[in-house]
Amino acid sequence: MAASLQPRWFETISERPLYCSIPVQDAKGNTRIIAGGADHGLTELDAHKGTRTASLYSKTHGHSEWVTCVARVSPTQVASAGMDAKVCVWDLASVAPHTERQRGVQHVPVRACVDLVGHTGSVAALCGVDGAGLLASGGYDGSVRLWRVDAATCVAVLEQRGEEESGVQEAGRARVRTRPTPSNAVVGLNEFAGRLMCRTKSGLVNVFDLGTGEAMTCVQAHRGPVSALVPVSGEVFASAGVVDGAVRVFDLRVAEGRGRCVARMEGVHGGGGVTAMVRVGSYLGDGTDGGPVCLATCGGGGDAAVKILEMRGGGVGPQRIVKEVSQLVRQDARVMTCLPGQTSAKSPETISYALTSVPELDGVLVSWGDGCVQVMRNLTRHGVGATVPDRGPMNYCDNRNVYTPINGRRKSTSSQVLEISALSFSSNSTNDVVNLDTKIAGIRNAIRSFSVFSKPTVGALGVVGSGDDGIAIGWELRF
């Protein structure tokens, strides 16, 4: 049976679901959590104590509809967006006039924001461009906009390229057509190596050059929404489909129409889609040197499993190999089986929602539909404390929990011990799953997002989760 870790704190933020959160760390190492959701507002919390430090909502500042995404712009600024088609840039050092008592809680400062207006539909994705002072936003109006934050102006509207649904073949290869098509709702944005990758509800992935604002190319990656995208190098990325349940690898160095899908794995989680995918392990190469690129996936198919996929091979043109190398199945889940051609209801504990990579533990954080949260470690067997990127003051996670390497690498010894409250596990322990207790906080539904941040003074990682119960909860992992 998996060990269990009690939370350091928990706080009821709202009576409605929380959909997004990020950690923001200043130059002094103080970390705050910004969480937003269906009550139209965002709340600022002290990440170490769980106390409210500010409200990002008032009668004159903020959103008028659900907040669906949040992103870090700078150490003192965050951006939020939602169903009101508006992007708000909040100054975390400001206090708006007429500080108000918010929703029956203690008096807290109210932050001021600047509105960025231009979208005509719900904004579903935000992405800060580090060092450039730019913010990218994408929405259900099909547009991708680049904003210069200091001037509060839109500097470019990026035009998507498109292709017909028939461009997706059974082999997972796409025929690119450059003619414009009707707008594709944007569901996610990734910035990598000077490029902006746009994921759409129709299964397209559009790639833009951030230097010129021009569309470089696009591929029809999946049938239905692209749930996750993991850049492997500047030219190679892996994507996952929430409807077709496939993981596919694309090489943009291959000419259009020549078979850019160089690796694929269909039906990763049985009959369900892939709800999230992240890169795991300490290997940061692209596979051309023979090293394995490891991906962790979770799904909505009711298999109660986190699967580890390994991609090998490289070069331009040659097919790469993607295969499943291991899986960790939730032991207390009621996995339902049925005869071929039949369907069955899936238990909430078998469906996963949020997945975040934790390189320091060679593992992931995963949340399940019944509110359970687990740390799964030693996934690639490279060892706890292997060479991993630092989590510096400029590090952040977006609302889809993509771990962003910043400030190079850090080496640790293989003799480190992972301490979890009174529990200790050596790096060669066979017990690789730890439950993070949520029941004590009254959480019964899914955690939607994780924020992971360093606590260098105590040699630990802080983890904060928030979700459908409107509760934020924090744990401390010592390693």
Side-chain angles (χ1 to χ4, degrees), residues 64 125-126 136 172 190 214 242 268-269 300 325 340-341 352 354 381 392 431-432:
S64 58
L126 292 172
N190 295 73
E214 296 294 326
V242 73
V268 176
H269 288 274
V325 294
S352 51
R381 300 297 172 183
N431 192 344
D432 289 331

Side-chain angles (χ1 to χ4, degrees), residues 214-283:
E214 296 294 326
M216 298 175 63
T217 189
C218 76
V219 293
Q220 181 75 50
H222 296 275
R223 301 181 190 274
V226 182
S227 58
L229 187 148
V230 176
V232 177
S233 70
E235 307 288 347
V236 180
F237 67 86
S239 63
V242 73
V243 173
D244 57 21
V247 170
R248 294 174 180 148
V249 180
F250 294 89
D251 190 338
L252 300 182
R253 293 170 296 186
V254 178
E256 294 183 358
R258 298 284 183 172
R260 286 179 159 179
C261 182
V262 295
R264 64 187 177 89
M265 185 174 180
E266 309 293 327
V268 176
H269 288 274
V274 179
T275 54
M277 179 175 68
V278 295
R279 187 168 182 173
V280 293
S282 59
Y283 174 72

Side-chain angles (χ1 to χ4, degrees), residues 414-472:
S414 59
S415 60
Q416 282 186 311
V417 173
L418 170 67
E419 297 179 356
I420 299 187
S421 289
L423 307 171
S424 295
F425 299 93
S426 63
S427 61
N428 61 358
S429 171
T430 57
N431 192 344
D432 289 331
V433 178
V434 176
N435 291 324
L436 303 186
D437 187 12
T438 57
K439 302 304 181 187
I440 192 174
I443 293 175
R444 299 292 182 268
N445 298 290
I447 295 289
R448 294 281 180 172
S449 65
F450 290 115
S451 296
V452 182
F453 56 95
S454 62
K455 304 178 77 172
T457 57
V458 295
L461 290 178
V463 176
V464 176
S466 59
D468 287 352
D469 293 288
I471 299 171

Side-chain angles (χ1 to χ4, degrees), residues 25-102:
Q25 194 174 66
D26 60 25
K28 297 180 180 180
N30 301 316
T31 304
R32 292 171 283 184
I33 303 297
I34 311 297
D39 64 355
H40 307 174
L42 298 101
T43 299
E44 179 185 301
L45 299 170
D46 183 315
H48 305 281
K49 301 177 182 178
T51 54
R52 299 172 190 242
T53 55
S55 173
L56 282 67
Y57 175 84
S58 70
K59 293 180 180 178
T60 56
H61 294 86
H63 296 279
S64 58
E65 273 292 348
W66 292 8
V67 179
T68 55
C69 51
V70 60
R72 179 184 175 282
V73 178
S74 74
T76 59
Q77 289 180 305
V78 297
S80 62
M83 296 179 66
D84 57 1
K86 184 168 64 173
V87 177
C88 297
V89 178
W90 301 88
D91 183 353
L92 300 183
S94 69
V95 177
H98 309 298
T99 298
E100 301 174 5
R101 183 179 176 88
Q102 295 297 312

